[in-house]
Amino acid sequence: MIVLAVVLPFVAAALAPLVHRLIGDFTGWVVALVPLSAFIALWPLLERTAAGEAIHVAWPWAPSWGLELSFLIDGLSLVFALTIAGVGAFVLLYSGAYLKGHRQGRFLGFLLAFMGAMQGLVLADNLVALYLFWELTSVASFLLIGFDHTRQAARRAAIQALVVTGLGGLALLAAGVAIYAIAGAWELSAAGDLKGNVAYPLLVGLVLLAAFTKSAQLPFHFWLPNAMEAPTPVSAYLHSATMVQGGVYLVARMTPHLGGEAIWNLTLMGFGGVTLLWGAIAALRQTDLKQMLAQTTLASLGLLMLLLGAGTEMAVTAAVLYFIAHALYKAGLFLVAGAIDHGTGTRDITMLGGLRDAMTVSFIGTIMASAAMFGLPPLIGFFAKEEMYAALALGQLESLLALAALVLGNGLLGAVALALLIKPFMGQVLPTPIEPHEAPVAMLAGPVVLGVLGIFLGFIPVLAGQLAVAPATSAILGVSVETHLKLGVDLLGPAFWLSVVTWALAIGLFLRLDLARSLLRRAATAIGWSFDIGFDWVYFGIVRFAGAVTRLLHHGRLELYLFLVFALLVVAAIGPLWVLDGLPRGPQVLDLRFYEWGLVALAVLGVATVVHARSRLFAILALGVQGLAVALLYLVFGAPDLSFTQFMVEILSVVILALVMTRLDLDSADPRPLEDWARDGGVALLGGVALTMLLWAVIEGPLDLRLSTFFNANSVPIAHGHNIVNVILVDFRGLDTLGEISVVMTAGIAILALIRSARRDKPIEPAPLVEPPAKRRAVRKAAP
């Protein structure tokens, strides 16, 4: 099951370009089998989760860190996984026809990876895996939104989505680490109740920040409408079943651990209610079909957050019902919007009209999806609306305020549903850029099947409640919940009459849609600012600040770079010793033999010669003398390995420096002004003193032999080497050695590139304008 749901999409993503090369435009039909297989594999689990069973699967991941790649399938994760797989099958099928004639292999690969990441997100139980899949959805959406990377708008939208959701990803990572520190387990199912911990407010803030950025709650909502730069199949998938639902899923999953407190409930209800009204009002202002649907997605996400914040059994039941209904009708409407664009050449509803005859199947699909969005009985959208009204009708003041927001928001969404249905398809036929024609079967299958499914579920509310709604509600609340859904309309209940008010409000707003749109646009023009503009201010402000810091620190003056490095080295060496009162007591009288004093004198003589050398070549040779003296000191004091290494380093250094310097003027000394000489000499002297004091402090301290003992005991049994130094370099810290070699190689390649670049950039001497005299004389001699 997990392999089919999570692993297979990534494998198929890697193979999608190859499949497209082999079978061309039929790729959509083939890759759609991947989510269909996942759906078929997951479907039988409905009975087990309905019986209260939670299926836990785990594989060893990093045992030394206590990490397992664990997945949990309960009522909540199964509803999301089935939705992702079911809608994904139609979206992939649709994509093949939508991009017919284009290079769709890479696009379908991104879409499959997106699906796999989303399945991993909703099925993961391990917090680290949850974070990884969470970020994978952000990366995959970045690739999909910016798929048409030749357009600046697409690139900007992709970056904006990645920046905003990436901010939430960091918050989720911090929350995961905090939960592990509190609960002592990486599995979310083992986290338990976290509400009594002192870090509870911090956890709530981090989790809600992650959820709000992912699900585009106010004030992080602006990236979602801009994501409409993505191809329509991406919009359909992203808005109905994936990406933006990730934040809703996170809140639902964390409710047993963090829910029930006022800070959790009121925050969700407040932000959810404001986002609901903001998105619903903004949808009225739009004329582009995709933008209208995008804004209604904002509203729906806010509605879901509001219901989860209410936290009662009926409110959570309504949230689950609305999630299912929204996934079905929103995917269908987005797919129809793409079909209209494909069949007419435009998505502007002011340019569309009378398409019901030319695009009859699309019209039927829109009727079913719009009716669910409008909340007509007995569709599943109607039961979701009834449930949410009943949940909040008899509550406290905050519940009544939330109820008012729901009625107003649903009325606005109902007006948009009427506009989506009536404006393009009814009335007089309007001329369009393309002669209206119906989309191919692959593009119509999704709207029709999903629309029929929305109607069918409305006729079997009891079965849907037993198999899907009640298990998901039980998982969210952490207690067993029985379904109370039934087929029928309570004409005397307050929920029904609130639905009547909602329908009346929707019809009234639709009749005055042009006036409402005009007023909203005037208001937006008068304000002249938006959160989208605010993002640009912050984003480009950071870019400009980074540029200023770079220009300040990366000014291109090498001598200042070196001065800064060595000055900081002095501070880093002496500062801790000074603060921690660890300065060495001072040099002691050294008990050295005469030949040892001779080697010390040779080293000092080498350094003095370097300082007073009149040419660079002589300075290099003198530096080698100093290094050889140090190598001899190692040898005398019983460290032949270090001595050998020092010999090799000094010989290679002298040879390489001499070869490099052959391209420079080696005969002259390095002239520099007095102030530079004093600055460089001063910092060099301080650096030497600082390192000497540091090494002296180390020598004065107690000798810790734990590492020596470890290497002595384990070099032969583990690494099978008798030379401990070699064993340390090659085996115990082999990765470090590899990194060091890589750094040296990278630096060498960079230097070589710079040298070659300098050669290419050497100015070409202009050709002489007159012929050389010798050649002219040769020509005259050859003439008869």
Side-chain angles (χ1 to χ4, degrees):
M1 298 170 294
I2 298 299
V3 172
L4 286 175
V6 181
V7 179
L8 184 59
F10 288 108
V11 176
L15 298 177
L18 177 62
V19 174
H20 179 250
R21 288 184 182 179
L22 295 176
I23 61 176
D25 292 334
F26 293 98
T27 309
W29 291 90
V30 175
V31 297
L33 297 176
V34 176
L36 183 61
S37 302
F39 186 87
I40 294 173
L42 293 171
W43 181 263
L45 301 181
L46 279 173
E47 292 187 359
R48 295 174 64 180
T49 57
E53 183 180 356
I55 304 162
H56 190 269
V57 181
W59 292 278
W61 193 5
S64 59
W65 290 90
L67 282 175
E68 286 187 333
L69 189 57
S70 56
F71 297 91
L72 175 68
I73 302 177
D74 59 4
L76 175 62
S77 57
L78 186 57
V79 167
F80 273 80
L82 285 172
T83 307
I84 294 166
V87 175
F90 290 109
V91 169
L92 285 167
L93 181 63
Y94 183 96
S95 300
Y98 186 80
L99 295 176
K100 184 178 181 181
H102 298 275
R103 300 179 63 182
Q104 53 185 272
R106 188 178 59 164
F107 176 80
L108 294 174
F110 291 162
L111 208 54
L112 285 165
F114 189 33
M115 172 194 164
M118 198 64 204
Q119 291 282 27
L121 168 61
V122 300
L123 294 175
D125 188 32
N126 183 277
L127 286 167
V128 179
L130 175 68
Y131 166 73
L132 291 178
F133 285 118
W134 180 281
E135 291 295 58
L136 275 177
T137 61
S138 297
V139 173
S141 67
F142 168 79
L143 296 173
L144 288 169
I145 295 171
F147 184 73
D148 188 4
H149 55 84
T150 58
R151 293 188 301 111
Q152 183 181 4
R155 296 196 301 271
R156 178 182 179 274
I159 292 173
Q160 190 180 63
L162 185 64
V163 169
V164 176
T165 57
L167 174 65
L170 293 177
L172 179 62
L173 175 62
V177 174
I179 291 173
Y180 172 73
I182 295 171
W186 286 113
E187 270 58 46
L188 195 53
S189 58
D193 192 345
L194 303 172
K195 294 188 280 292
N197 192 275
V198 67
Y200 174 72
L202 175 64
L203 285 177
V204 171
L206 292 173
V207 170
L208 292 188
L209 176 60
F212 286 178
T213 53
K214 200 73 163 182
S215 287
Q217 298 296 292
L218 209 74
F220 306 105
H221 63 288
F222 47 86
W223 69 267
L224 187 55
N226 291 334
M228 291 301 99
E229 297 295 336
T232 297
V234 178
S235 303
Y237 206 23
L238 186 147
H239 284 244
S240 61
T242 58
M243 185 70 170
V244 296
Q245 302 293 349
V248 175
Y249 171 79
L250 180 65
V251 170
R253 177 57 70 194
M254 296 301 294
T255 296
H257 310 288
L258 300 175
E261 297 292 329
I263 184 175
W264 175 270
N265 294 343
L266 295 180
T267 304
L268 283 172
M269 293 176 71
F271 279 89
V274 173
T275 305
L276 164 63
L277 296 179
W278 182 282
I281 293 173
L284 285 180
R285 190 163 61 91
Q286 306 297 329
T287 58
D288 181 272
L289 288 173
K290 283 182 66 176
Q291 283 296 331
M292 294 172 68
L293 292 171
Q295 298 292 352
T296 60
T297 300
L298 277 182
S300 299
L301 293 171
L303 187 150
L304 287 170
M305 290 291 185
L306 188 154
L307 293 174
L308 291 174
T312 62
E313 179 181 330
M314 293 188 70
V316 174
T317 300
V320 177
L321 268 174
Y322 189 79
F323 167 76
I324 298 172
H326 176 263
L328 296 175
Y329 78 70
K330 186 55 64 71
L333 287 174
F334 261 112
L335 297 180
V336 167
I340 293 175
D341 189 19
H342 177 272
T344 64
T346 181
R347 299 193 307 256
D348 193 331
I349 61 172
T350 61
M351 300 174 63
L352 296 170
L355 297 177
R356 59 187 180 280
D357 295 329
M359 303 182 70
T360 304
V361 180
S362 297
F363 180 46
I364 294 173
T366 307
I367 291 175
M368 293 186 288
S370 298
M373 184 175 174
F374 193 76
L376 286 179
L379 278 70
I380 190 172
F382 168 76
F383 292 107
K385 186 154 51 58
E386 293 283 294
E387 197 74 10
M388 67 180 75
Y389 288 163
L392 299 173
L394 301 176
Q396 303 296 323
L397 176 61
E398 59 270 16
S399 296
L400 295 177
L401 290 175
L403 179 63
L406 285 176
V407 173
L408 179 58
N410 282 328
L412 293 166
L413 293 178
V416 177
L418 291 175
L420 294 171
L421 173 64
I422 296 176
K423 292 288 184 182
F425 293 100
M426 306 302 288
Q428 187 178 1
V429 178
L430 298 179
T432 55
I434 300 175
E435 184 66 26
H437 61 277
E438 192 59 276
V441 175
M443 295 178 63
L444 297 174
V448 173
V449 174
L450 295 175
V452 171
L453 188 59
I455 297 173
F456 177 72
L457 289 178
F459 281 98
I460 55 168
V462 178
L463 183 60
Q466 290 174 346
L467 289 179
V469 179
T473 305
S474 301
I476 295 173
L477 295 177
V479 295
S480 180
V481 173
E482 297 292 334
T483 181
H484 57 271
L485 299 176
K486 60 182 181 180
L487 181 60
V489 179
D490 183 9
L491 298 178
L492 300 179
F496 175 77
W497 290 104
L498 286 172
S499 293
V500 173
V501 172
T502 303
W503 296 330
L505 179 62
I507 294 172
L509 285 171
F510 173 72
L511 295 176
R512 307 295 291 174
L513 183 60
D514 292 337
L515 176 61
R517 185 179 298 139
S518 176
L519 292 176
L520 290 173
R521 289 188 172 181
R522 288 181 185 178
T525 303
I527 295 173
W529 188 86
S530 66
F531 287 94
D532 194 26
I533 296 175
F535 172 83
D536 284 343
W537 286 358
V538 174
Y539 180 77
F540 289 107
I542 293 174
V543 171
R544 285 192 289 270
F545 176 73
V549 172
T550 302
R551 286 190 295 273
L552 176 64
L553 299 178
H554 194 190
H555 40 67
R557 299 181 61 184
L558 180 60
E559 68 274 17
L560 291 184
Y561 293 163
L562 295 177
F563 175 80
L564 186 62
V565 168
F566 286 110
L568 291 176
L569 175 64
V570 172
V571 174
I574 296 181
L577 295 177
W578 181 274
V579 173
L580 300 176
D581 195 19
L583 291 174
R585 288 171 297 179
Q588 306 294 321
V589 177
L590 299 177
D591 184 15
L592 301 178
R593 294 181 177 85
F594 71 94
Y595 56 87
E596 294 168 347
W597 279 113
L599 294 176
V600 173
L602 182 61
V604 173
L605 180 62
V607 173
T609 306
V610 171
V611 174
H612 292 90
R614 294 185 177 276
S615 70
R616 295 189 181 94
L617 180 59
F618 196 72
I620 292 171
L621 296 175
L623 186 64
V625 171
Q626 187 270 341
L628 291 176
V630 173
L632 289 173
L633 281 174
Y634 287 146
L635 185 64
V636 169
F637 283 95
D641 291 330
L642 285 178
S643 177
F644 176 75
T645 305
Q646 181 72 15
F647 275 124
M648 293 298 101
V649 169
E650 290 302 328
I651 293 172
L652 288 175
S653 299
V654 171
V655 171
I656 293 173
L657 286 173
L659 289 176
V660 171
M661 288 298 180
T662 54
R663 296 182 176 277
L664 303 174
D665 184 7
L666 294 178
D667 296 330
S668 62
D670 184 13
R672 62 182 64 190
L674 178 61
E675 57 271 19
D676 288 358
W677 182 87
R679 181 197 63 195
D680 297 342
V683 74
L685 188 61
L686 286 175
V689 172
L691 288 179
T692 302
M693 294 180 67
L694 180 63
L695 293 175
W696 210 285
V698 171
I699 293 174
E700 289 182 349
L703 184 59
D704 190 346
L705 295 175
R706 285 180 296 175
L707 280 177
S708 301
T709 305
F710 171 81
F711 289 129
N712 278 327
N714 294 289
S715 292
V716 174
I718 296 179
H720 307 290
H722 292 276
N723 188 319
I724 295 179
V725 174
N726 290 347
V727 167
I728 293 173
L729 292 175
V730 176
D731 293 283
F732 289 111
R733 54 182 297 267
L735 192 60
D736 293 346
T737 305
L738 179 63
E740 293 168 357
I741 295 173
S742 302
V743 170
V744 173
M745 288 182 60
T746 305
I749 294 172
I751 293 171
L752 183 62
L754 286 173
I755 293 174
R756 291 187 174 182
S757 175
R759 286 180 182 173
R760 287 196 298 268
D761 296 340
K762 186 177 180 180
I764 301 174
E765 295 182 1
L769 299 177
V770 295
E771 192 175 7
K775 189 174 182 179
R776 289 200 298 269
R777 286 195 297 273
V779 172
R780 283 198 297 272
K781 287 180 180 179

